[in-house]
């Protein structure tokens, strides 16, 4: 009896600290700034435990039944906590509120545990022994948890499974109590069946939660994965690294919040500033809303149409607070309209004309994407661009994929465009290339909006200079029936990636 | 503060529901059950013809011309009649839809072919076919030097083909992987020979090998090649290696449904040497294709003549009459028979049907028609996943099947969809066609399903787990094979000849079953009829 009792105190204590650590880690993954997150989570958790201890005096009868119920609730709230918070993260506007609610609820119930247990056992042990042993094992449990968590649990189980696992332990303690004090428990059958259900739910959760937050995925993305979703179109992964947030589509880095402004300013401003009073702008791809954020800096623009394939992507960047902070809630602007559809199919049907067209497709890494860089596609682009307008195409790295870059240029020229190539250095990506297209050479304008961080004065002029090792080379034209670009791209990037 | 038990259970229910939501993906979903079945429209109706008992016609239809069979040759005949201003004609087929071997289907993923699925670029001399392609918008114009400009979305998009050989995908169907210098030399010599044949003309100024084949030169030495088998010819040249023989058999099966030993040397060379078409930015190896295969072309032909079409018409008799020609058909839907009286009749059905409808048409040796099995397979993965469908045409070296084509290759999209639709082809060649036919028809869907999965698994190890649906169609008389002596022999010449007011049009009359030949035979028969109708109306 005494032996088992002390083990259960030990288990309860371990679980209690684990939930606190899970919440702290999850908060720093998702919200960044781990010192602040851990500090506030620990504070809130301990304070909630205090509330729990205070509330314990209001339970007067059937203490064992209450204790079992509390254990089951902790098993649910704590056990499902990490899975629930990761899931809710994509939907709620105030993630912090939910996080602290979960932390508070867990803390209150964990705070109830020890006082209740002491009162249950007060007649069975000498008081000085009881206090001494319960607290001894409580603190040993805490030490155990704090070592286990970083050394074993996070590397091998990940946050979500750790949380499920310790939920199971809490439910196990409840089950132990039901059997240990079977005479003193009221409504034993109902409690027992609830217990079994909670345990099964946690086991199921543990078994099926391999999807997100696996350590292997963390390593692949060199950071902590805070959001992962496989849509019918792609796998979207958002990872927190020291420097900021990184977004991956099918494992390919799309941006790093630290330096994405360089890319998006280089993509948008040269052509927007070159068109006199641009009004209608089209964005193909760019479901992150970051290009739209830059376009909205031009007051004359009164309509922005964005065509992106994946509704999950545009929704994520419309609802998620971390991401709307990044794109300045650009999708909420009344000037912006989003169409979720295939850009090629859409452009073939559309007959409107645009002042500026910004093409931000993934690199041509497969034959399907290669079609979006084909002569047939650029013929359609030519058709929807106003004669005085300009378009721009992100065109991979001219340093890594020199032939690929110039192949895009030659294909655009074959469609009848005058091309103005430029490139710049992006810390997260290396030397990156863009192609501005229109009926004339892109004029170097200096009328940039006041609030840019990268582009100003003569930046474009510098970007238009191509040093010897990335100078223009002869290439084929990328047609649907030769897919020359994908072949260049595969060869050139194969050399560069290990 | 205390919760009642009911509150507790409610709370728990809500929490459980919320918590299980994000765990959508089920890693334990095992091998899915493959759905599907046999798709053999009108086979039952067709077999009624064997029994030969039909009600006496109770209604008579009068028309100027009646065309029996709405495959490519029948449709082409109808198209030409319409173009010449004849509106009073009837196009009959026992199936509900026109198209014949160019039949196609459609599901949520894509349209897909059931038979013929591509057209090589026509030679610049085949003006009738080029005109047709221009009329239906496949050719959009001409360059200054006279090159037809094909619509890019109809030219087969890259990568066009690949061969799985010794565990590696190579980018051409001509075997290359792991071959010895001697083996490579055979291919080198063969293609040099083909280049020479492509450029050669006979004394009559005509190309030695041309499409339609009736426009080929009458050069006697060349035509003598029709007397020997292709296999014998290749052997006499010393081209004997395994890869070479496999490739030649593959090509003969692909176009003729027969092995190199069963077709004539003239026909075997024709397969390679008659492909001389070119277009703007498209070479001799370019082909035109559509998700629904040649169903696209059939539908274009049909669109112009649909008012004249009558499906579910099982013609069981066709004869000359005093004024012209007549035929009788049974409509299983109406449950009664009709008689058609016409000035002219175009028999655009295969020869085995023709000999059932008309007395005295039997041949001492029946034409060689191999049975085919075609399977349309829907996969639960996007094209390109694990190498699946990462080209238009995927073939495995050394296998009996002809591999598969990818229906979404031509989709104008940066994302072809989260499912793949592929069409798998298998010609039951190398056997007695009659026995092979009986065998094919006696097999169940389960049998073909196993065969398709096993064959595809050879190229893609785990493809079985990705297959959702397999639909299978068996073609009893898939296509005519140009056996030695047929193309330039007397039998074919006699079969082409009109018999009174009955004219003939079918690829059986060419000896090779190509869209171009069907189109040509239909046009030829229509022109014969037009000539005589105008003569008649003038008199």
């Amino acid at each position: 009896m005494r032996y088992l009792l002390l083990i259960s105190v030990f288990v309860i204590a371990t679980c209690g600290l684990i939930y606190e650590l899970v919440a702290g880690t999850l908060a720093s993954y998702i919200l960044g700034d781990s010192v602040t997150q851990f500090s506030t989570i620990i504070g809130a958790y301990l304070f909630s435990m205090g509330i729990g201890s205070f509330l314990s005096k209001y339970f007067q009868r059937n203490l064992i039944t209450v204790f079992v119920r509390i254990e089951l609730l902790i098993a649910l709230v704590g056990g499902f906590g990490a899975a629930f918070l990761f899931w809710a993260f994509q939907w709620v506007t105030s993630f912090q509120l939910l996080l602290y609610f979960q932390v508070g609820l867990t803390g209150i119930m964990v705070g109830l545990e020890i006082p209740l247990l002491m009162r249950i056992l007060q007649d069975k042990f000498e008081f000085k022994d009881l206090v001494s042993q319960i607290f001894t094992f409580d603190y040993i449990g805490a030490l155990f948890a704090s070592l286990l968590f970083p050394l074993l649990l996070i590397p091998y189980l990940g946050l979500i499974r750790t949380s499920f696992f310790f939920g199971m332990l809490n439910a196990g303690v409840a089950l132990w109590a039901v059997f240990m004090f079977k005479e003193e428990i009221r409504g034993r059958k109902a409690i027992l069946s609830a217990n079994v259900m909670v345990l099964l739910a946690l086991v199921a959760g543990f078994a099926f939660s391999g999807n997100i937050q696996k350590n292997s995925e963390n390593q692949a993305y060199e950071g902590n994965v805070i959001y992962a979703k496989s849509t019918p179109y792609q796998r979207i992964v958002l990872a927190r690294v020291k420097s900021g947030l990184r977004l991956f589509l099918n494992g390919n880095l799309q941006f790093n919040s630290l330096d994405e402004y360089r890319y998006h300013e280089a993509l948008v401003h040269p052509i927007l500033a070159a068109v006199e009073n641009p009004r209608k702008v089209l964005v193909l791809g760019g479901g992150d809303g970051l290009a739209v954020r830059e376009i909205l800096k031009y007051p004359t623009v009164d309509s922005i149409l964005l065509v992106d394939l994946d509704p999950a992507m545009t929704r994520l960047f419309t609802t998620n607070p971390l991401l709307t902070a990044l794109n300045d809630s650009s999708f909420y602007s009344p000037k912006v309209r989003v169409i979720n559809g295939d850009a090629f199919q859409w452009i073939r049907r559309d007959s409107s004309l645009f002042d500026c067209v910004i093409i931000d497709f993934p690199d041509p890494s497969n034959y399907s994407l290669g079609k979006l860089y084909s002569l047939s596609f650029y013929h359609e682009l030519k058709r929807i661009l106003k004669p005085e307008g300009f378009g721009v195409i992100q065109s991979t790295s001219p340093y890594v994929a020199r032939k690929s870059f110039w192949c895009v240029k030659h294909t655009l020229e074959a469609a009848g465009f005058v091309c103005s190539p430029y490139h710049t250095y992006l810390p997260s990506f290396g030397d990156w290339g863009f192609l501005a297209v229109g009926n004339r050479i892109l004029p170097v304008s200096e009328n940039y909006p006041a609030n840019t961080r990268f582009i100003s004065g003569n930046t474009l002029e510098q970007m238009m200079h191509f040093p010897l090792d990335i100078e223009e080379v002869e290439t084929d034209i990328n047609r649907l029936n030769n897919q020359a670009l994908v072949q260049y791209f595969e060869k050139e990037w194969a050399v560069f990636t290990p | 503060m205390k919760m009642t038990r009911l509150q507790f259970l409610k709370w728990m229910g809500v929490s459980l529901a919320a918590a299980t939501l994000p765990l959508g993906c089920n890693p334990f979903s095992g091998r899915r059950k493959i759905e599907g079945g046999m798709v053999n429209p009108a086979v039952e109706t067709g077999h009624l013809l064997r029994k030969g008992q039909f009600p006496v016609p109770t209604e008579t239809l009068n028309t100027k011309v009646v065309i029996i069979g709405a495959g490519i040759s029948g449709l082409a005949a109808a198209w030409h009649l319409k173009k010449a201003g004849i509106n009073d004609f009837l196009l009959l087929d026992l199936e509900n839809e026109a198209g014949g071997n160019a039949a196609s289907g459609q599901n949520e993923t894509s349209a897909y072919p059931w038979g013929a699925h591509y057209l090589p670029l026509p030679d610049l001399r085949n003006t009738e076919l080029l005109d047709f392609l221009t009329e239906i918008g496949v050719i959009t114009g001409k360059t200054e030097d006279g090159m037809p400009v094909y619509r890019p979305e109809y030219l087969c998009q890259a990568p066009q083909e690949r061969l799985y050989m010794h565990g590696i995908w190579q980018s051409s169907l001509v075997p290359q992987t792991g071959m010895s210098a001697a083996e490579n030399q055979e291919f080198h010599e063969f293609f040099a020979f083909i280049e020479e044949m492509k450029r050669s003309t006979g004394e009559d100024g005509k190309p030695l090998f041309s499409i339609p084949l009736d426009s080929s030169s009458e050069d006697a030495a060349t035509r003598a090649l029709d007397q020997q088998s292709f296999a014998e010819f290749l052997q006499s040249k010393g081209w004997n290696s395994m890869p070479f023989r496999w490739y030649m058999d593959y090509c003969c099966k692909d176009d003729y449904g027969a092995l190199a030993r069963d077709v004539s040397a003239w026909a075997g060379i024709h397969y390679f040497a008659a492909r001389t078409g070119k277009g703007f930015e498209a070479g001799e190896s370019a082909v035109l294709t559509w998700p629904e295969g040649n169903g696209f072309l059939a539908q274009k032909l049909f669109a112009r003549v649909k008012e004249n079409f009558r499906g579910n018409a099982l013609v069981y008799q066709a004869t000359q009459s005093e004024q012209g020609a007549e035929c009788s058909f049974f409509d299983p839907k109406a449950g009664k028979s009709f008689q058609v009286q016409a000035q002219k009749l175009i028999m655009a059905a295969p020869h085995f049907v023709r000999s059932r409808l008309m007395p005295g048409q039997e041949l001492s040796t029946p034409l060689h028609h191999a049975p085919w099995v075609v399977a349309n397979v829907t996969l639960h993965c996007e094209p390109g996943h694990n190498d699946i469908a990462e080209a238009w045409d995927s073939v495995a070296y050394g296998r009996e099947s002809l591999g598969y084509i990818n229906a979404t290759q031509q989709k104008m999209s940066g994302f072809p969809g989260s499912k793949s639709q592929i069409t798998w082809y298998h010609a039951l060649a190398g056997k007695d066609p009659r026995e092979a036919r009986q065998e094919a028809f006696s097999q169940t869907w389960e049998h073909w399903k196993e065969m398709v999965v096993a064959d595809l698994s050879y190229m893609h190890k785990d493809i079985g787990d990705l297959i959702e649906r397999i639909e299978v169609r068996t073609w009893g008389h898939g296509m005519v094979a140009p056996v030695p002596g047929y193309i330039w022999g007397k039998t074919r010449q006699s079969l082409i000849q009109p018999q009174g007011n009955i004219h003939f049009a079918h690829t059986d009359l060419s000896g090779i079953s190509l869209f171009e030949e069907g189109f040509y035979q239909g046009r030829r028969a229509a022109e014969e009829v037009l000539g005589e109708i105008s003569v008649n109306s003038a008199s």
Side-chain angles (χ1 to χ4, degrees):
Chain A
M1 165 85 180
R2 168 171 293 225
Y3 179 65
L4 278 172
L5 185 76
L6 292 176
I7 289 184
S8 75
V9 171
F10 173 74
V11 170
I12 288 172
T14 313
C15 292
L17 195 68
I18 292 285
Y19 297 138
E20 185 179 330
L21 294 172
V22 165
T25 313
L26 195 143
S28 55
Y29 279 3
I30 291 187
L31 304 170
D33 190 3
S34 56
V35 174
T36 313
Q37 300 311 333
F38 263 101
S39 177
T40 51
I41 291 282
I42 289 174
Y45 194 78
L46 287 176
F47 176 68
S48 309
M49 281 175 69
I51 298 176
S53 302
F54 171 78
L55 291 175
S56 69
K57 71 175 178 181
Y58 295 103
F59 294 96
Q60 274 148 15
R61 284 172 297 141
N62 307 319
L63 287 183
I64 291 172
T65 320
V66 172
F67 176 75
V68 170
R69 286 181 176 169
I70 295 282
E71 284 303 305
L72 288 183
L73 276 176
I74 296 176
L76 276 177
V77 177
F80 278 101
F84 173 72
L85 287 172
F86 269 120
W87 171 74
F89 165 65
Q90 56 178 309
W91 301 103
V92 297
T93 38
S94 180
F95 177 71
Q96 277 96 331
L97 199 71
L98 198 72
L99 174 70
Y100 284 98
F101 177 73
Q102 194 268 350
V103 166
L105 201 62
T106 318
I108 287 172
M109 288 184 298
V110 170
L112 278 165
E113 282 177 314
I114 299 291
L116 284 178
L117 203 58
M118 286 176 83
R119 282 167 58 198
I120 290 168
L121 302 171
Q122 62 185 349
D123 304 329
K124 297 184 169 116
F125 297 92
E126 185 96 12
F127 186 65
K128 66 175 168 60
D129 289 343
L130 185 69
V131 173
S132 145
Q133 287 184 344
I134 281 195
F135 281 106
T136 304
F137 278 86
D138 188 20
Y139 292 126
I140 292 177
L143 175 68
F144 185 63
S146 62
L147 294 177
L148 206 60
F149 188 75
L151 299 179
L152 279 177
L153 299 175
I154 291 301
Y156 293 103
L157 284 184
L159 270 185
I160 292 183
R161 283 193 160 161
T162 296
S163 143
F164 277 123
F165 181 72
F166 283 87
M168 287 188 251
L169 292 186
N170 271 119
V173 169
L175 201 62
W176 166 78
V178 171
F179 283 105
M180 190 60 99
F181 303 99
K182 52 185 168 222
E183 276 79 39
E184 291 158 69
I185 285 192
R186 299 203 339 202
R188 203 158 61 89
K189 270 193 181 161
I191 286 238
L192 198 62
S193 55
N195 205 324
V196 170
M197 274 171 64
V198 170
L199 208 56
L200 283 180
L202 289 164
V203 170
F206 185 86
F208 293 117
S209 63
N211 222 3
I212 189 178
Q213 250 298 303
K214 266 185 301 194
N215 184 53
S216 56
E217 200 160 47
N218 278 347
Q219 276 175 359
Y221 296 113
E222 295 165 2
N224 292 307
V225 172
I226 57 174
Y227 173 87
K229 187 182 172 102
S230 290
T231 75
Y233 309 101
Q234 58 199 344
R235 181 156 175 84
I236 305 175
V237 170
L238 198 58
R240 157 81 61 195
V241 287
K242 276 189 194 136
S243 54
L245 283 174
R246 306 214 290 176
L247 179 83
F248 295 84
L249 298 180
N250 293 337
N252 299 314
L253 181 64
Q254 302 302 301
F255 68 74
N256 182 333
S257 62
L258 191 70
D259 64 359
E260 58 77 17
Y261 70 91
R262 269 185 161 244
Y263 174 84
H264 290 102
E265 287 189 12
L267 179 71
V268 169
H269 294 296
I271 65 159
L272 261 288
V275 174
E276 211 175 321
N277 298 326
R279 290 185 56 224
K280 275 188 80 177
V281 181
L282 172 68
V283 182
L284 299 176
D288 52 28
L290 296 169
V292 175
R293 176 193 67 199
E294 296 302 318
I295 300 165
L296 285 168
K297 291 177 179 170
Y298 292 80
T300 58
V301 171
D302 55 25
S303 95
I304 303 171
L305 181 63
L306 180 131
V307 182
D308 191 279
L309 184 62
D310 194 348
M313 180 79 181
T314 47
R315 191 170 55 227
L316 181 67
F317 279 85
T318 310
T319 56
N320 185 287
L322 294 179
L323 302 176
T324 52
L326 204 57
N327 66 20
D328 282 348
S329 299
S330 58
F331 285 140
Y332 286 102
S333 163
K335 295 175 180 176
V336 178
R337 192 158 72 92
V338 174
I339 291 178
N340 289 119
D342 185 276
F344 209 148
Q345 309 244 318
W346 179 84
I347 203 172
R348 274 157 61 89
R349 282 194 304 266
D350 196 73
S351 56
S352 36
L353 287 172
F354 295 90
D355 295 302
C356 291
V357 179
I358 285 151
I359 299 185
D360 194 9
F361 291 139
D363 281 356
S365 56
N366 64 44
Y367 291 113
S368 302
L369 289 169
K371 296 184 185 187
L372 298 175
Y373 293 81
S374 66
L375 182 60
S376 298
F377 186 85
Y378 293 146
H379 277 305
E380 304 288 349
L381 176 63
K382 187 99 175 50
R383 186 175 54 73
I384 63 163
L385 189 63
K386 282 186 186 168
E388 293 304 304
F390 280 101
V392 64
I393 293 100
Q394 88 81 3
S395 318
T396 193
S397 167
Y399 174 73
V400 176
R402 187 171 170 187
K403 278 196 158 181
S404 306
F405 178 81
W406 296 108
C407 170
V408 178
K409 179 190 182 242
H410 300 145
T411 308
L412 285 159
E413 284 172 344
F417 282 118
V418 175
C419 281
S420 314
Y422 61 93
H423 69 114
T424 190
Y425 177 71
L426 307 171
S428 296
F429 291 89
D431 195 351
W432 214 257
F434 305 86
L435 288 157
V437 295
N439 283 330
R440 60 206 156 102
I441 289 282
L442 185 69
V444 177
S445 161
E446 296 188 1
N447 302 326
Y448 298 117
N451 51 351
T452 56
R453 294 166 68 192
F454 167 68
I455 201 163
S456 74
N458 60 355
T459 317
L460 178 61
E461 226 170 334
Q462 293 166 10
M463 291 198 291
M464 284 174 143
H465 174 71
F466 280 73
L468 282 177
D469 62 345
I470 54 174
E471 260 186 350
E472 188 158 0
V473 281
E474 247 182 63
T475 69
D476 276 342
I477 288 164
N478 186 42
R479 299 174 196 279
L480 291 171
N481 64 347
N482 69 7
Q483 293 265 22
L485 176 61
V486 176
Q487 291 170 39
Y488 290 138
F489 186 87
E490 271 182 359
K491 268 190 210 134
E492 291 175 323
W493 277 91
V495 175
F496 209 74
T497 42
Chain B
M1 179 64 208
K2 271 177 85 175
M3 272 186 176
T4 65
R5 199 171 72 206
L6 189 67
Q7 281 171 327
F8 174 76
L9 287 173
K10 267 189 189 163
W11 196 90
M12 205 172 72
V14 170
S15 316
L16 272 181
T20 45
L21 274 172
L23 313 166
C25 178
N26 181 357
F28 298 130
S29 65
R31 175 182 279 251
R32 61 184 78 231
K33 191 176 174 294
I34 298 173
E35 312 265 320
M38 300 298 293
V39 179
N40 277 338
V43 160
E44 309 258 311
T45 323
H47 283 180
L48 287 177
L49 198 56
R50 270 175 209 234
K51 293 186 191 159
Q53 286 180 336
F54 298 98
V56 176
T58 50
E59 207 174 305
T60 303
L61 310 171
N62 286 298
T63 186
K64 208 172 245 177
V65 184
V66 60
I67 304 169
I68 299 170
I72 297 304
S73 50
L75 283 167
W79 162 282
H80 282 97
L81 290 182
K82 200 80 161 193
K83 259 192 102 171
I86 307 277
N87 289 314
D88 181 20
F89 66 89
L90 204 52
L91 175 63
L92 304 175
D93 199 280
L94 86 145
E95 285 190 24
N96 195 22
E97 280 163 39
N101 271 6
S104 60
Q106 168 91 46
N107 63 17
E108 282 175 5
T109 308
S110 176
Y112 50 81
W114 275 123
H117 53 271
Y118 70 98
L119 178 67
L121 298 192
D123 188 276
L124 297 181
R125 288 164 287 205
N126 194 349
T127 48
E128 289 84 4
L129 189 53
L130 290 170
D131 287 347
F132 166 69
L133 294 176
T134 307
E135 204 163 326
I136 63 171
V138 171
I139 294 173
T140 55
K142 259 186 191 172
T143 59
E144 279 170 17
D145 53 349
M147 278 288 170
V149 180
Y150 288 92
R151 265 183 89 118
E153 61 180 299
Y154 297 154
L155 284 169
C156 182
Q157 298 183 16
Q160 184 167 322
E161 60 183 34
R162 57 178 184 163
L163 180 69
Y164 187 69
M165 191 172 182
H166 307 319
I168 290 172
W169 284 108
Q170 55 160 72
S171 62
S172 153
L173 290 187
V174 179
Q176 284 153 356
T177 309
M179 278 172 27
S180 70
E183 288 166 336
N184 277 314
Q185 181 62 20
E186 291 185 7
F187 282 98
H188 185 75
E189 286 174 21
F190 174 76
F191 286 113
F193 166 74
I194 292 297
E195 278 310 307
E196 195 192 322
M197 290 297 107
K198 274 184 179 175
R199 285 193 308 271
S200 305
T201 48
E203 277 180 18
D204 49 8
K206 293 180 181 174
L208 293 183
F209 298 93
S210 179
I211 295 175
L213 54 75
D214 279 336
S215 62
S216 306
S217 166
E218 288 177 33
D219 179 73
T222 311
R223 286 199 174 181
L225 289 167
D226 194 41
Q227 295 304 318
Q228 71 179 136
S229 85
F230 191 36
E232 276 165 19
F233 169 79
L234 297 172
Q235 208 160 16
S236 73
K237 292 277 192 178
W239 300 324
N240 285 317
S241 71
M242 277 286 281
F244 189 84
R245 292 206 324 252
W246 173 81
Y247 181 66
M248 292 301 145
D249 275 337
Y250 161 79
C251 293
C252 290
K253 277 193 283 187
D254 187 42
D255 261 26
Y256 307 139
L259 301 178
R261 64 161 201 248
D262 296 324
V263 304
S264 84
W266 194 92
I269 298 166
H270 183 271
Y271 174 91
F272 299 95
R275 302 218 167 154
T276 49
K278 281 194 282 284
F280 173 64
E281 292 297 341
E284 290 178 358
S285 59
V287 300
L288 297 160
T289 189
W290 303 267
E292 67 271 45
N294 287 5
F296 173 88
L297 297 170
Q299 286 308 310
K300 291 287 177 191
L301 284 168
F302 178 68
R304 188 126 174 212
V305 298
K306 57 175 177 247
E307 303 80 37
N308 305 77
F309 177 72
R310 179 158 183 156
N312 298 308
L314 173 61
V315 179
Y316 59 87
Q317 192 189 24
T319 49
Q320 277 251 50
S321 67
E322 281 174 31
Q323 287 81 29
E326 58 186 42
C327 69
S328 309
F329 68 87
F330 173 66
D331 183 339
K333 282 207 173 140
K336 62 178 188 174
S337 300
F338 297 80
Q339 192 180 51
V340 184
Q341 292 196 333
Q343 287 179 34
K344 289 283 181 184
L345 187 149
I346 297 177
M347 175 69 70
H351 186 265
F352 75 96
V353 173
R354 164 177 169 180
S355 59
R356 283 189 195 283
L357 308 190
M358 298 170 63
Q361 301 289 317
E362 280 90 357
L363 298 169
S364 51
T365 337
L367 298 186
H368 183 294
H369 283 99
W372 281 66
V373 183
V374 181
N376 266 296
V377 182
T378 311
L379 294 156
H380 189 75
C381 66
E382 73 278 10
H385 172 90
N386 284 353
D387 267 354
I388 294 166
E390 184 125 280
W392 173 61
D393 190 6
S394 300
V395 179
Y397 171 75
R399 304 287 291 181
E400 269 194 58
S401 88
L402 294 164
Y404 69 86
I405 58 151
N406 167 27
T408 51
Q409 183 77 8
Q410 297 302 98
K411 198 165 174 188
M412 303 289 264
S413 159
F415 183 80
S418 45
K419 288 189 185 178
S420 305
Q421 181 68 33
I422 61 174
T423 310
W424 177 88
Y425 289 88
H426 180 45
L428 298 173
K431 304 170 185 170
D432 173 55
R434 214 185 146 93
E435 283 167 24
R437 194 151 36 242
Q438 273 165 1
E439 192 190 315
F441 280 123
S442 68
Q443 297 294 2
T444 61
W445 173 77
E446 289 287 336
H447 167 87
W448 297 123
K449 181 196 78 175
E450 294 297 324
M451 187 172 185
V452 172
V453 173
D455 195 58
L456 291 175
S457 302
Y458 177 80
M459 295 186 242
H460 309 288
K461 197 162 68 71
D462 297 321
I463 199 169
D465 296 338
L466 297 166
I467 297 178
E468 282 185 1
R469 196 171 178 81
I470 299 181
E471 300 209 310
V472 178
R473 181 162 181 172
T474 44
W475 297 89
H477 295 76
M479 52 172 66
V480 64
V483 298
Y486 179 68
I487 290 180
W488 298 118
K490 286 194 178 113
T491 309
R492 188 172 82 89
Q493 286 314 310
S494 69
L495 289 177
I496 296 174
Q497 295 309 314
Q499 299 177 7
N501 290 315
I502 301 184
H503 298 255
F504 300 97
H506 193 267
T507 51
D508 281 6
L509 308 184
S510 291
I512 62 179
S513 181
L514 300 182
F515 177 89
E516 303 91 309
E517 295 292 340
F519 185 83
Y520 161 75
Q521 295 292 352
R523 180 177 62 84
R524 183 192 47 72
E527 276 169 6
E528 285 172 10
V529 165
L530 286 166
E532 295 188 20
I533 286 180
S534 50
V535 169
N536 287 354
S537 42
S539 61

